Amino acid sequence: MTADKLAILIAVIGAGSYFQTVTGFGLGMIVMGATSGFGLAPLATVATLMSVVSLANGATALPGRLHHIDWRAVGAATLGILPSVVAGVLLLECLSRSAADLLQLILGAVVLYGGLSAALRPAPLTERSDNRSFFVSGLFGGLLSGMFGVSGPPLIFQFYRQPLTLVQIRCALIVLFTTTSATRVLYSACEGQLDRDIWVLAAIATPVVMLTTVAARHYPPPLSPVALRRLAFGVLMAIGIGLIATSLPPLLHRA
């Protein structure tokens, strides 16, 4: 990797870390999107790197704020995530390439519609959903993670629709994504995928992640709760558009 690409990658990681600390999500999506768009590094390498640096983000963002977390909701979502990640990987292996692309297209449309409808009505629900709905959101999040590497949309939509404070929402999401990252790091270690390049990049990126996380904790953007919810749902719309954009060309090519 050239020095200029490394500098861009580290800068994007820093920006993603700031965004995730403010909203509870976005680090992986921002960095993977930039990596893919600008060809900064191999996607597999960056995906593993994101799992490692996400641990640093969680370790810096969460201390002193664990009491804000709705642990029943987080626990229910985690129970859904962990087994369904494996199911998603197995399901993807069973599907043909065209079927997987079609499923991704449908998923993108659903995520886009959900983000748009929620952005137009950003007010939260009047009552907290029951734990089963958090389990279901984790279940779908795990499936999407296993199939497409995108676990965020169901969890983001579920938590941002709850009558919780923004601190509660982002801390819960950070815990969930940190747990997912820890699982991926353990899996990568068992598979021997944590090579020297990963550790070198992690050593460079981790201080930046920690600094930007601290900055986000002390200097968040001056956004109202409604504006921040709209921002979150806007990112969901962008994810939906991205899923559609990557799945549609192969389908049209086969038609």
Coordinates of all heavy atoms in Angstrom, one line a residue, residues 100-194:
A100 N -28.7 -14.9 -5.2 CA -28.1 -14.0 -4.2 C -28.2 -12.6 -4.6 O -28.5 -11.7 -3.8 CB -26.7 -14.4 -3.9
D101 N -28.0 -12.3 -5.9 CA -28.1 -10.9 -6.4 C -29.5 -10.4 -6.3 O -29.7 -9.2 -5.9 CB -27.6 -10.8 -7.8 CG -26.0 -10.9 -7.9 OD1 -25.4 -10.6 -6.9 OD2 -25.5 -11.3 -8.9
L102 N -30.4 -11.2 -6.6 CA -31.9 -10.9 -6.6 C -32.3 -10.6 -5.1 O -33.0 -9.6 -4.8 CB -32.7 -11.9 -7.2 CG -34.3 -11.7 -7.1 CD1 -34.6 -10.4 -7.9 CD2 -35.0 -12.9 -7.7
L103 N -31.8 -11.4 -4.2 CA -32.1 -11.3 -2.8 C -31.5 -10.0 -2.3 O -32.1 -9.2 -1.5 CB -31.6 -12.4 -2.0 CG -32.0 -12.5 -0.5 CD1 -33.5 -12.6 -0.4 CD2 -31.3 -13.7 0.1
Q104 N -30.3 -9.6 -2.7 CA -29.7 -8.4 -2.3 C -30.4 -7.2 -2.9 O -30.6 -6.2 -2.2 CB -28.2 -8.4 -2.8 CG -27.5 -7.1 -2.4 CD -26.0 -7.2 -2.7 OE1 -25.4 -8.2 -2.8 NE2 -25.4 -6.0 -2.9
L105 N -30.9 -7.3 -4.1 CA -31.7 -6.2 -4.7 C -33.0 -6.0 -3.9 O -33.3 -4.8 -3.5 CB -32.1 -6.6 -6.1 CG -33.0 -5.6 -6.9 CD1 -32.3 -4.2 -7.0 CD2 -33.4 -6.1 -8.2
I106 N -33.7 -7.0 -3.5 CA -34.9 -6.9 -2.7 C -34.6 -6.3 -1.3 O -35.3 -5.4 -0.8 CB -35.6 -8.3 -2.5 CG1 -36.0 -8.8 -3.9 CG2 -36.7 -8.2 -1.6 CD1 -36.5 -10.2 -3.9
L107 N -33.5 -6.8 -0.7 CA -33.0 -6.3 0.5 C -32.8 -4.8 0.4 O -33.2 -4.0 1.3 CB -31.8 -7.0 1.0 CG -31.0 -6.4 2.2 CD1 -31.8 -6.4 3.4 CD2 -29.7 -7.1 2.4
G108 N -32.1 -4.4 -0.6 CA -31.8 -3.0 -0.8 C -33.0 -2.1 -0.9 O -33.1 -1.0 -0.3
A109 N -34.0 -2.6 -1.6 CA -35.3 -1.9 -1.8 C -36.0 -1.8 -0.4 O -36.5 -0.7 -0.1 CB -36.2 -2.6 -2.8
V110 N -36.0 -2.9 0.4 CA -36.6 -2.8 1.7 C -35.9 -1.9 2.6 O -36.6 -1.1 3.3 CB -36.7 -4.3 2.3 CG1 -37.1 -4.2 3.7 CG2 -37.6 -5.2 1.5
V111 N -34.6 -1.9 2.6 CA -33.8 -1.0 3.5 C -34.1 0.5 3.1 O -34.2 1.4 3.9 CB -32.3 -1.3 3.5 CG1 -31.5 -0.3 4.2 CG2 -32.1 -2.7 4.1
L112 N -34.1 0.7 1.8 CA -34.3 2.1 1.3 C -35.7 2.6 1.7 O -35.8 3.7 2.1 CB -34.1 2.1 -0.3 CG -34.5 3.4 -1.0 CD1 -33.6 4.5 -0.5 CD2 -34.3 3.3 -2.5
Y113 N -36.7 1.7 1.5 CA -38.1 2.1 1.9 C -38.2 2.3 3.4 O -38.8 3.3 3.8 CB -39.0 1.0 1.4 CG -40.4 1.3 1.9 CD1 -41.3 2.2 1.3 CD2 -40.9 0.6 3.0 CE1 -42.6 2.4 1.8 CE2 -42.2 0.8 3.5 CZ -43.0 1.7 2.9 OH -44.3 2.0 3.4
G114 N -37.6 1.4 4.2 CA -37.6 1.6 5.6 C -36.9 2.9 6.1 O -37.5 3.6 6.9
G115 N -35.8 3.2 5.5 CA -35.1 4.4 5.9 C -35.8 5.6 5.5 O -35.9 6.6 6.2
L116 N -36.4 5.6 4.3 CA -37.2 6.8 3.8 C -38.4 7.0 4.6 O -38.7 8.2 5.1 CB -37.6 6.6 2.3 CG -38.4 7.7 1.7 CD1 -37.6 9.0 1.7 CD2 -38.8 7.3 0.3
S117 N -39.2 6.0 4.9 CA -40.4 6.1 5.7 C -40.1 6.6 7.1 O -40.8 7.4 7.7 CB -41.2 4.8 5.7 OG -40.4 3.8 6.3
A118 N -39.0 6.1 7.7 CA -38.6 6.5 9.0 C -38.1 7.9 9.1 O -38.3 8.6 10.0 CB -37.6 5.5 9.6
A119 N -37.4 8.3 8.0 CA -36.8 9.7 8.0 C -38.0 10.7 7.9 O -37.9 11.8 8.4 CB -35.9 9.8 6.8
L120 N -39.0 10.3 7.2 CA -40.2 11.2 7.1 C -41.0 11.3 8.4 O -41.7 12.3 8.7 CB -41.1 10.8 6.0 CG -40.5 10.8 4.6 CD1 -41.4 10.3 3.5 CD2 -40.1 12.3 4.2
R121 N -40.9 10.2 9.2 CA -41.5 10.2 10.5 C -40.5 9.8 11.6 O -40.5 8.7 12.1 CB -42.7 9.2 10.5 CG -43.8 9.6 9.6 CD -44.9 8.6 9.6 NE -44.6 7.3 8.9 CZ -44.2 6.2 9.5 NH1 -44.2 6.2 10.8 NH2 -43.9 5.1 8.9
P122 N -39.6 10.7 12.0 CA -38.5 10.4 12.9 C -38.9 10.2 14.3 O -38.0 9.8 15.1 CB -37.5 11.5 12.6 CG -38.4 12.7 12.3 CD -39.5 12.1 11.5
A123 N -40.1 10.6 14.7 CA -40.5 10.5 16.1 C -40.4 9.0 16.5 O -40.9 8.1 15.8 CB -41.9 11.0 16.3
P124 N -39.9 8.7 17.7 CA -39.9 7.3 18.2 C -41.2 6.7 18.5 O -42.2 7.5 18.6 CB -39.0 7.4 19.4 CG -39.2 8.8 19.9 CD -39.4 9.6 18.7
L125 N -41.3 5.4 18.7 CA -42.5 4.8 19.2 C -42.9 5.3 20.6 O -42.0 5.8 21.3 CB -42.3 3.3 19.2 CG -41.9 2.6 17.9 CD1 -41.6 1.1 18.2 CD2 -43.0 2.7 16.9
T126 N -44.1 5.2 20.9 CA -44.6 5.7 22.2 C -44.2 4.7 23.3 O -44.0 5.1 24.5 CB -46.1 5.9 22.2 OG1 -46.7 4.6 21.8 CG2 -46.5 7.0 21.2
E127 N -44.1 3.4 23.0 CA -43.7 2.4 24.0 C -42.6 1.5 23.4 O -42.5 1.3 22.2 CB -44.9 1.5 24.3 CG -46.1 2.2 25.0 CD -47.2 1.2 25.3 OE1 -47.0 0.0 25.1 OE2 -48.2 1.7 25.9
R128 N -41.7 1.1 24.4 CA -40.6 0.2 24.0 C -41.1 -1.1 23.5 O -42.1 -1.7 24.0 CB -39.7 0.0 25.2 CG -38.5 -1.0 25.0 CD -37.9 -1.3 26.3 NE -36.8 -2.3 26.2 CZ -36.9 -3.6 26.1 NH1 -38.1 -4.1 26.0 NH2 -35.8 -4.4 26.0
S129 N -40.5 -1.6 22.4 CA -40.9 -2.9 21.8 C -40.5 -4.0 22.8 O -39.6 -3.8 23.6 CB -40.2 -3.1 20.5 OG -40.5 -2.1 19.6
D130 N -41.2 -5.2 22.7 CA -40.8 -6.3 23.5 C -39.5 -6.9 23.1 O -39.0 -6.6 22.0 CB -41.9 -7.3 23.6 CG -42.3 -7.9 22.3 OD1 -41.3 -8.1 21.5 OD2 -43.4 -8.3 22.1
N131 N -38.9 -7.7 23.9 CA -37.6 -8.3 23.7 C -37.6 -9.2 22.5 O -36.6 -9.4 21.8 CB -37.1 -9.1 24.9 CG -36.8 -8.2 26.1 OD1 -36.4 -7.0 25.9 ND2 -36.9 -8.7 27.3
R132 N -38.8 -9.8 22.1 CA -38.8 -10.7 20.9 C -38.5 -9.9 19.7 O -37.8 -10.4 18.8 CB -40.2 -11.3 20.8 CG -40.5 -12.4 21.8 CD -41.9 -12.9 21.8 NE -42.8 -11.8 22.1 CZ -44.2 -12.0 22.2 NH1 -44.7 -13.1 21.8 NH2 -44.9 -11.0 22.5
S133 N -38.9 -8.6 19.6 CA -38.6 -7.8 18.4 C -37.1 -7.5 18.3 O -36.6 -7.5 17.2 CB -39.4 -6.5 18.4 OG -39.0 -5.7 19.4
F134 N -36.5 -7.4 19.4 CA -35.0 -7.2 19.4 C -34.3 -8.4 19.0 O -33.3 -8.4 18.2 CB -34.5 -6.7 20.8 CG -34.9 -5.3 21.2 CD1 -36.0 -5.1 21.9 CD2 -34.2 -4.2 20.7 CE1 -36.4 -3.8 22.3 CE2 -34.5 -3.0 21.0 CZ -35.7 -2.7 21.8
F135 N -34.8 -9.6 19.4 CA -34.3 -10.9 19.0 C -34.4 -11.0 17.4 O -33.5 -11.4 16.8 CB -35.0 -12.0 19.7 CG -34.6 -13.4 19.2 CD1 -33.4 -14.0 19.6 CD2 -35.4 -14.1 18.3 CE1 -33.0 -15.2 19.1 CE2 -35.1 -15.3 17.8 CZ -33.9 -15.9 18.2
V136 N -35.6 -10.7 16.9 CA -35.8 -10.8 15.5 C -34.9 -9.8 14.7 O -34.4 -10.2 13.7 CB -37.3 -10.5 15.2 CG1 -37.5 -10.4 13.7 CG2 -38.2 -11.6 15.8
S137 N -34.7 -8.6 15.2 CA -33.8 -7.7 14.5 C -32.4 -8.2 14.5 O -31.7 -8.1 13.5 CB -33.9 -6.3 15.2 OG -33.2 -6.3 16.5
G138 N -32.0 -8.9 15.6 CA -30.7 -9.5 15.7 C -30.6 -10.7 14.7 O -29.6 -10.9 14.1
L139 N -31.7 -11.4 14.6 CA -31.7 -12.6 13.7 C -31.5 -12.1 12.3 O -30.7 -12.7 11.5 CB -33.1 -13.3 13.9 CG -33.2 -14.7 13.4 CD1 -32.3 -15.6 14.2 CD2 -34.6 -15.1 13.4
F140 N -32.2 -11.1 11.9 CA -32.1 -10.6 10.5 C -30.7 -9.9 10.3 O -30.1 -10.0 9.2 CB -33.2 -9.6 10.1 CG -34.5 -10.3 9.8 CD1 -35.6 -10.4 10.7 CD2 -34.7 -11.0 8.5 CE1 -36.7 -11.1 10.4 CE2 -35.8 -11.6 8.2 CZ -36.9 -11.7 9.1
G141 N -30.3 -9.2 11.3 CA -29.0 -8.6 11.2 C -27.9 -9.6 11.0 O -27.0 -9.4 10.2
G142 N -28.0 -10.7 11.8 CA -27.0 -11.8 11.6 C -27.0 -12.4 10.2 O -26.0 -12.7 9.6
L143 N -28.2 -12.6 9.7 CA -28.4 -13.2 8.4 C -27.7 -12.3 7.3 O -27.0 -12.7 6.5 CB -29.8 -13.4 8.1 CG -30.5 -14.6 8.7 CD1 -32.0 -14.6 8.4 CD2 -29.9 -15.9 8.1
L144 N -28.0 -11.0 7.5 CA -27.4 -10.0 6.5 C -25.9 -10.0 6.6 O -25.2 -9.8 5.6 CB -28.0 -8.6 6.7 CG -29.5 -8.5 6.5 CD1 -29.9 -7.1 6.5 CD2 -30.0 -9.1 5.2
S145 N -25.4 -10.1 7.9 CA -24.0 -10.1 8.1 C -23.3 -11.3 7.4 O -22.3 -11.2 6.8 CB -23.7 -10.0 9.6 OG -22.3 -10.1 9.8
G146 N -24.0 -12.4 7.6 CA -23.4 -13.7 7.0 C -23.5 -13.7 5.5 O -22.6 -14.2 4.9
M147 N -24.5 -13.1 5.0 CA -24.7 -13.2 3.5 C -24.0 -12.0 2.8 O -23.4 -12.2 1.8 CB -26.2 -13.2 3.2 CG -27.0 -14.4 3.7 SD -28.7 -14.4 3.1 CE -28.5 -14.6 1.3
F148 N -24.1 -10.8 3.3 CA -23.7 -9.7 2.6 C -22.7 -8.8 3.4 O -22.2 -7.8 2.9 CB -24.8 -8.8 2.2 CG -25.9 -9.5 1.4 CD1 -27.2 -9.6 1.9 CD2 -25.6 -10.1 0.2 CE1 -28.2 -10.3 1.3 CE2 -26.6 -10.8 -0.5 CZ -27.9 -10.9 0.0
G149 N -22.4 -9.2 4.6 CA -21.5 -8.4 5.4 C -22.1 -7.1 5.9 O -21.4 -6.2 6.3
V150 N -23.4 -7.0 5.9 CA -24.1 -5.8 6.3 C -25.1 -6.1 7.4 O -26.2 -6.6 7.2 CB -24.8 -5.1 5.2 CG1 -25.5 -3.8 5.6 CG2 -23.9 -4.8 4.0
S151 N -24.7 -6.0 8.7 CA -25.6 -6.4 9.8 C -26.4 -5.2 10.3 O -27.3 -5.4 11.1 CB -24.7 -7.0 10.9 OG -23.8 -6.1 11.5
G152 N -26.0 -4.0 9.9 CA -26.5 -2.8 10.6 C -28.0 -2.5 10.4 O -28.7 -2.2 11.4
P153 N -28.6 -2.5 9.2 CA -29.9 -2.0 9.0 C -31.0 -2.4 9.9 O -31.7 -1.6 10.5 CB -30.2 -2.4 7.5 CG -28.9 -2.4 6.9 CD -27.9 -2.9 7.9
P154 N -31.2 -3.7 10.2 CA -32.3 -4.1 11.1 C -32.1 -3.6 12.5 O -33.0 -3.2 13.2 CB -32.3 -5.7 11.0 CG -31.6 -6.0 9.8 CD -30.6 -4.9 9.6
L155 N -30.8 -3.6 13.0 CA -30.5 -3.2 14.3 C -30.7 -1.7 14.4 O -31.2 -1.2 15.4 CB -29.1 -3.6 14.7 CG -28.9 -5.2 14.8 CD1 -27.4 -5.5 14.8 CD2 -29.6 -5.8 16.0
I156 N -30.2 -1.0 13.4 CA -30.3 0.5 13.5 C -31.8 0.9 13.5 O -32.2 1.8 14.3 CB -29.6 1.1 12.2 CG1 -28.1 0.8 12.3 CG2 -29.8 2.6 12.2 CD1 -27.4 1.1 11.0
F157 N -32.5 0.3 12.6 CA -33.9 0.7 12.5 C -34.7 0.3 13.8 O -35.4 1.1 14.3 CB -34.6 -0.1 11.3 CG -36.0 0.3 11.1 CD1 -36.3 1.4 10.4 CD2 -37.1 -0.5 11.6 CE1 -37.7 1.8 10.1 CE2 -38.4 -0.1 11.4 CZ -38.7 1.0 10.6
Q158 N -34.4 -0.8 14.4 CA -35.0 -1.3 15.6 C -34.7 -0.3 16.7 O -35.7 0.1 17.5 CB -34.6 -2.7 15.9 CG -35.1 -3.2 17.3 CD -36.5 -3.5 17.3 OE1 -37.2 -3.5 16.3 NE2 -37.0 -3.9 18.5
F159 N -33.5 0.0 17.0 CA -33.1 0.8 18.1 C -33.5 2.3 18.0 O -33.9 2.9 18.9 CB -31.6 0.6 18.4 CG -31.3 -0.6 19.2 CD1 -31.0 -1.8 18.6 CD2 -31.3 -0.6 20.6 CE1 -30.8 -3.0 19.3 CE2 -31.0 -1.7 21.4 CZ -30.7 -2.9 20.7
Y160 N -33.3 2.8 16.8 CA -33.7 4.2 16.6 C -35.2 4.5 16.6 O -35.6 5.6 16.7 CB -33.0 4.7 15.3 CG -31.7 5.4 15.5 CD1 -30.5 4.6 15.4 CD2 -31.6 6.7 15.9 CE1 -29.3 5.2 15.7 CE2 -30.3 7.3 16.1 CZ -29.2 6.5 16.0 OH -28.0 7.1 16.3
R161 N -36.0 3.4 16.5 CA -37.4 3.6 16.6 C -37.9 3.5 18.0 O -39.1 3.8 18.3 CB -38.1 2.5 15.7 CG -37.9 2.7 14.2 CD -38.6 4.0 13.7 NE -40.1 3.8 13.7 CZ -40.9 4.9 13.8 NH1 -40.5 6.1 13.9 NH2 -42.2 4.7 13.8
Q162 N -37.0 3.2 19.0 CA -37.5 3.0 20.3 C -37.5 4.3 21.1 O -36.8 5.3 20.8 CB -36.5 2.1 21.1 CG -36.4 0.7 20.4 CD -37.7 0.0 20.3 OE1 -38.5 0.0 21.2 NE2 -38.0 -0.5 19.1
P163 N -38.4 4.4 22.1 CA -38.4 5.6 23.0 C -37.3 5.7 24.0 O -37.5 5.7 25.2 CB -39.8 5.5 23.6 CG -40.0 4.0 23.8 CD -39.4 3.4 22.5
L164 N -36.1 5.6 23.4 CA -34.8 5.6 24.3 C -34.1 6.9 24.0 O -34.3 7.5 22.9 CB -33.9 4.4 23.9 CG -34.6 3.0 24.0 CD1 -33.6 2.0 23.5 CD2 -34.9 2.7 25.5
T165 N -33.2 7.3 24.9 CA -32.4 8.5 24.7 C -31.4 8.1 23.6 O -31.0 6.9 23.4 CB -31.7 8.9 25.9 OG1 -30.8 7.9 26.4 CG2 -32.7 9.2 27.1
L166 N -30.8 9.1 23.0 CA -29.8 8.8 22.0 C -28.5 8.2 22.6 O -27.9 7.4 21.9 CB -29.4 10.1 21.3 CG -30.5 10.7 20.4 CD1 -30.1 12.0 19.8 CD2 -30.9 9.7 19.3
V167 N -28.2 8.5 23.8 CA -27.1 7.9 24.5 C -27.4 6.4 24.7 O -26.5 5.6 24.4 CB -26.8 8.6 25.9 CG1 -25.8 7.8 26.6 CG2 -26.4 10.0 25.7
Q168 N -28.6 6.1 25.1 CA -28.9 4.6 25.2 C -28.8 3.9 23.9 O -28.3 2.8 23.8 CB -30.3 4.5 25.8 CG -30.5 4.9 27.2 CD -31.9 4.9 27.7 OE1 -32.8 5.5 27.1 NE2 -32.2 4.1 28.7
I169 N -29.3 4.5 22.8 CA -29.3 3.9 21.5 C -27.9 3.7 21.0 O -27.5 2.6 20.6 CB -30.1 4.8 20.5 CG1 -31.6 4.8 20.9 CG2 -29.9 4.2 19.1 CD1 -32.4 5.8 20.1
R170 N -27.1 4.7 21.0 CA -25.7 4.5 20.4 C -24.9 3.6 21.3 O -24.1 2.8 20.7 CB -25.0 5.9 20.2 CG -24.8 6.8 21.4 CD -24.0 8.0 21.0 NE -24.0 9.0 22.0 CZ -24.7 10.1 22.0 NH1 -25.5 10.4 21.0 NH2 -24.5 11.0 23.0
C171 N -25.0 3.6 22.6 CA -24.2 2.7 23.4 C -24.7 1.3 23.2 O -23.8 0.4 23.1 CB -24.4 3.1 24.9 SG -23.5 4.6 25.4
A172 N -25.9 1.0 23.0 CA -26.4 -0.3 22.8 C -25.9 -0.8 21.4 O -25.4 -2.0 21.3 CB -28.0 -0.3 22.8
L173 N -25.9 0.0 20.4 CA -25.4 -0.4 19.1 C -23.9 -0.6 19.1 O -23.4 -1.6 18.5 CB -25.8 0.7 18.0 CG -27.3 0.8 17.7 CD1 -27.5 2.0 16.8 CD2 -27.8 -0.5 17.0
I174 N -23.2 0.2 19.8 CA -21.8 0.0 19.9 C -21.4 -1.3 20.6 O -20.5 -2.0 20.1 CB -21.1 1.2 20.6 CG1 -21.1 2.5 19.7 CG2 -19.6 0.9 20.9 CD1 -20.6 3.7 20.4
V175 N -22.2 -1.6 21.6 CA -22.0 -2.9 22.3 C -22.2 -4.1 21.3 O -21.4 -5.0 21.2 CB -22.9 -3.1 23.5 CG1 -22.9 -4.5 24.0 CG2 -22.4 -2.2 24.6
L176 N -23.3 -4.0 20.6 CA -23.7 -5.1 19.6 C -22.6 -5.2 18.5 O -22.2 -6.3 18.2 CB -25.0 -4.8 19.0 CG -26.2 -5.0 19.9 CD1 -27.5 -4.5 19.3 CD2 -26.4 -6.5 20.2
F177 N -22.2 -4.1 18.0 CA -21.2 -4.2 16.9 C -19.8 -4.6 17.4 O -19.0 -5.2 16.7 CB -21.1 -2.9 16.1 CG -22.4 -2.6 15.4 CD1 -23.0 -1.3 15.4 CD2 -23.1 -3.6 14.7 CE1 -24.2 -1.0 14.7 CE2 -24.3 -3.3 14.0 CZ -24.8 -2.0 14.0
T178 N -19.5 -4.2 18.7 CA -18.2 -4.6 19.3 C -18.3 -6.1 19.5 O -17.3 -6.8 19.3 CB -18.0 -3.8 20.6 OG1 -18.0 -2.4 20.3 CG2 -16.7 -4.3 21.2
T179 N -19.4 -6.6 20.0 CA -19.5 -8.1 20.2 C -19.4 -8.8 18.9 O -18.7 -9.8 18.8 CB -20.9 -8.4 20.8 OG1 -21.0 -7.7 22.0 CG2 -21.1 -9.9 21.0
T180 N -20.0 -8.3 17.8 CA -19.9 -8.9 16.5 C -18.4 -8.9 16.0 O -17.9 -9.9 15.5 CB -20.7 -8.2 15.5 OG1 -22.1 -8.2 15.9 CG2 -20.7 -8.9 14.1
S181 N -17.7 -7.8 16.2 CA -16.3 -7.6 15.8 C -15.4 -8.6 16.6 O -14.5 -9.2 16.1 CB -15.9 -6.2 16.1 OG -16.6 -5.3 15.2
A182 N -15.7 -8.7 17.9 CA -14.9 -9.6 18.7 C -15.1 -11.1 18.2 O -14.1 -11.8 18.1 CB -15.3 -9.6 20.2
T183 N -16.3 -11.4 17.8 CA -16.5 -12.8 17.3 C -15.7 -13.0 16.0 O -15.1 -14.0 15.8 CB -18.0 -13.0 17.0 OG1 -18.8 -12.7 18.2 CG2 -18.3 -14.4 16.5
R184 N -15.8 -11.9 15.1 CA -15.0 -12.0 13.9 C -13.5 -12.1 14.1 O -12.8 -12.8 13.4 CB -15.4 -10.8 13.0 CG -16.8 -10.8 12.5 CD -17.1 -9.5 11.7 NE -18.4 -9.5 11.2 CZ -19.0 -8.3 10.8 NH1 -18.4 -7.2 10.9 NH2 -20.2 -8.4 10.3
V185 N -13.0 -11.4 15.1 CA -11.6 -11.4 15.3 C -11.2 -12.8 15.8 O -10.1 -13.3 15.4 CB -11.2 -10.3 16.4 CG1 -9.8 -10.6 16.9 CG2 -11.3 -8.9 15.8
L186 N -12.0 -13.4 16.7 CA -11.7 -14.7 17.2 C -11.7 -15.7 16.0 O -10.8 -16.6 15.9 CB -12.7 -15.1 18.2 CG -12.5 -14.4 19.6 CD1 -13.7 -14.8 20.5 CD2 -11.2 -14.8 20.2
Y187 N -12.7 -15.6 15.2 CA -12.8 -16.5 14.0 C -11.6 -16.3 13.1 O -11.0 -17.3 12.6 CB -14.1 -16.2 13.2 CG -14.2 -17.0 12.0 CD1 -14.6 -18.3 12.0 CD2 -13.9 -16.5 10.7 CE1 -14.8 -19.1 10.8 CE2 -14.0 -17.2 9.6 CZ -14.5 -18.5 9.6 OH -14.6 -19.2 8.5
S188 N -11.2 -15.0 12.8 CA -10.1 -14.8 11.9 C -8.8 -15.3 12.5 O -7.9 -15.8 11.8 CB -9.9 -13.3 11.7 OG -11.1 -12.7 11.1
A189 N -8.7 -15.2 13.9 CA -7.5 -15.7 14.5 C -7.4 -17.3 14.4 O -6.3 -17.8 14.1 CB -7.5 -15.3 16.0
C190 N -8.5 -17.9 14.5 CA -8.6 -19.4 14.4 C -8.3 -19.8 13.0 O -7.7 -20.9 12.8 CB -9.9 -19.9 14.8 SG -10.3 -19.7 16.6
E191 N -8.6 -19.0 12.0 CA -8.4 -19.3 10.6 C -7.0 -18.8 10.1 O -6.7 -19.0 9.0 CB -9.5 -18.6 9.7 CG -10.9 -19.2 9.9 CD -11.0 -20.7 9.4 OE1 -10.5 -20.9 8.3 OE2 -11.4 -21.5 10.2
G192 N -6.3 -18.2 11.0 CA -4.9 -17.7 10.7 C -4.9 -16.5 9.7 O -4.0 -16.3 9.0
Q193 N -6.0 -15.7 9.8 CA -6.1 -14.6 8.9 C -5.5 -13.3 9.5 O -5.5 -12.2 8.8 CB -7.6 -14.3 8.6 CG -8.2 -15.5 7.8 CD -9.7 -15.4 7.6 OE1 -10.3 -14.4 8.1 NE2 -10.3 -16.3 6.9
L194 N -5.1 -13.3 10.7 CA -4.5 -12.1 11.3 C -3.0 -12.1 11.1 O -2.2 -12.3 12.0 CB -4.8 -12.1 12.9 CG -6.3 -12.0 13.2 CD1 -6.5 -12.0 14.7 CD2 -7.0 -10.8 12.6

